[in-house]
């Protein structure tokens, strides 16, 4: 039964973006199913993981093939928590312009972090900014 | 190695219907290819009227939004018009959250999208 499913934990070292993401998505979606997360939650979490891992590879590691991204997940009946860590120098999330401001609306990039913040309940960049922690809370 | 097309294109006069083939518009290489394919179609038309149909799409990333914005810019530069339609509710919600529903004209159906073209 969903309510009695044991808490799920996983940890991956991702060396290739797309192959790593596909493996993570499959494992996480199975765990979300086992813990009774609905389709809306699964959509939100998949999008947030996608944006976080792509940012870690592209902006954090600057697509350096010698660097990895570390992905950790902990999922229970009420929460889905994720940590994405890159091997870059970090960044100040406050430096990202708000893409929903009128003057930024037509800029084609910069919406990944905004989508993560929109879909996840808690989002935190751990100094120096190369580790993202994000939590989805199942509505009660 | 060239990969298979990720869109299907149907042209009638200067009306161009573009359907996504893939359910997930996530991979950056695919998104880049989609953008290139769309631009190639648009470049051959004067005042193109373009309708992009999202019926098959279940997931898309912020990179895909960026490509759509570049395509929109190119269409406007050619004095054309772009409409998006049949976007699934969860993806439509992402358009609203990012306020991109203010940049794009979005219709529920293909028919209403065509009807809205001047």
């Amino acid at each position: 039964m969903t309510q009695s499913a044991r808490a799920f934990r996983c940890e991956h070292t991702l060396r290739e973006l797309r192959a790593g993401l596909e493996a993570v998505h499959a494992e996480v979606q199975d765990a979300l199913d086992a813990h009774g997360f609905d389709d809306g939650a699964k959509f939100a979490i998949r999008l947030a993981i996608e944006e976080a891992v792509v940012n870690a590879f592209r902006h954090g590691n600057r697509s350096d093939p010698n660097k990895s991204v570390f992905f950790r997940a902990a999922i229970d009946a009420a929460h889905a928590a994720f940590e994405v860590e890159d091997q870059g120098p970090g960044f100040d999330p406050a430096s990202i312009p708000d893409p929903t401001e009128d003057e930024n609306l037509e800029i084609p990039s910069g919406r990944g972090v905004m989508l993560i913040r929109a879909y996840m309940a808690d989002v935190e960049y751990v100094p120096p900014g190369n580790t993202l922690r994000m939590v989805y809370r199942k509505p009660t | 190695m060239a990969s298979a097309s990720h869109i299907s294109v149907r042209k009638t006069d200067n009306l161009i219907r573009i359907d996504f083939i893939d359910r997930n518009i996530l991979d950056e290489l695919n998104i880049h290819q989609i953008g290139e394919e769309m631009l190639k179609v648009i470049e051959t038309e004067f005042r193109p009227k373009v309708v992009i149909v999202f019926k098959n799409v279940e997931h898309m990333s912020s990179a895909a939004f960026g490509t759509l914005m570049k395509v929109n810019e190119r269409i406007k530069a050619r004095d054309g018009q772009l409409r998006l339609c049949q976007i699934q509710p969860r993806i439509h919600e992402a358009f609203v959250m990012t306020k991109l529903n203010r940049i794009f004209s979005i219709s529920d159906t293909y028919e209403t999208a065509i009807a809205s073209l001047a």
Side-chain angles (χ1 to χ4, degrees):
Chain A
M1 252 177 67
T2 300
Q3 294 302 320
S4 62
R6 290 179 59 189
F8 165 86
R9 286 182 182 276
C10 76
E11 192 167 329
H12 290 280
T13 298
L14 311 181
R15 294 192 171 84
E16 286 183 35
L17 170 56
R18 187 49 48 188
L21 260 173
E22 293 304 326
V24 161
H25 281 320
E27 195 170 347
V28 167
Q29 294 286 313
D30 283 349
L32 295 173
D33 279 336
H35 288 87
F37 286 77
D38 65 16
D39 288 346
K42 289 190 288 184
F43 176 89
I45 290 166
R46 182 179 176 128
L47 184 64
I49 291 173
E50 179 81 24
E51 299 292 343
V53 172
V54 168
N55 280 349
F57 271 95
R58 293 285 177 255
H59 302 299
N61 289 350
R62 298 183 189 279
S63 302
D64 183 341
N66 297 312
K67 292 182 175 176
S68 299
V69 168
F70 306 100
F71 177 87
R72 300 169 198 99
I75 298 169
D76 61 26
H79 313 88
F82 305 96
E83 194 169 280
V84 178
E85 177 185 352
D86 62 58
Q87 294 185 297
F91 80 112
D92 176 7
S95 66
I96 301 175
D98 181 350
T100 63
E101 293 289 331
D102 284 349
E103 65 268 26
N104 300 327
L105 260 187
E106 303 211 18
I107 299 173
S109 59
R111 288 176 176 78
V113 173
M114 186 254 150
L115 285 169
I116 293 170
R117 290 191 191 283
Y119 280 114
M120 304 301 272
D122 301 324
V123 177
E124 176 192 11
Y125 283 90
V126 182
N130 67 335
T131 301
L132 167 63
R133 289 180 184 150
M134 54 188 186
V135 179
Y136 183 94
R137 296 185 197 287
K138 199 188 284 183
T140 52
Chain B
M1 194 173 88
S3 55
S5 177
H6 301 282
I7 57 173
S8 72
V9 179
R10 275 178 272 177
K11 283 199 217 178
T12 310
D13 298 326
N14 67 338
L15 175 64
I16 302 168
R17 171 177 172 149
I18 298 175
D19 286 73
F20 286 107
I21 294 169
D22 300 336
R23 289 186 302 137
N24 298 329
I25 315 296
L26 298 169
D27 182 81
E28 286 182 317
L29 284 176
N30 291 349
I31 291 169
H32 178 75
Q33 187 183 343
I34 286 167
E36 292 297 310
E37 287 182 50
M38 288 184 179
L39 293 176
K40 196 173 169 186
V41 172
I42 293 157
E43 295 296 341
T44 61
E45 302 291 330
F46 178 60
R47 293 185 177 167
K49 295 179 178 179
V50 182
V51 180
I52 302 180
V53 182
F54 284 72
K55 184 180 176 184
N56 299 326
V57 179
E58 294 177 0
H59 294 276
M60 63 184 280
S61 67
S62 63
F65 286 126
T67 290
L68 285 173
M69 293 176 74
K70 289 175 190 167
V71 169
N72 190 32
E73 281 305 304
R74 197 69 68 90
I75 291 170
K76 284 199 290 188
R78 299 187 71 78
D79 205 17
Q81 300 171 66
L82 172 65
R83 300 290 184 267
L84 312 182
C85 71
Q86 292 183 259
I87 300 176
Q88 296 194 15
R90 291 193 183 99
I91 294 177
H92 187 268
E93 186 183 44
F95 274 91
V96 173
M97 284 193 297
T98 51
K99 297 190 179 174
L100 290 178
N101 58 323
R102 289 167 50 187
I103 298 285
F104 295 105
S105 296
I106 300 174
S107 300
D108 288 340
T109 67
Y110 180 66
E111 289 71 25
T112 52
I114 292 176
S116 72
L117 291 164

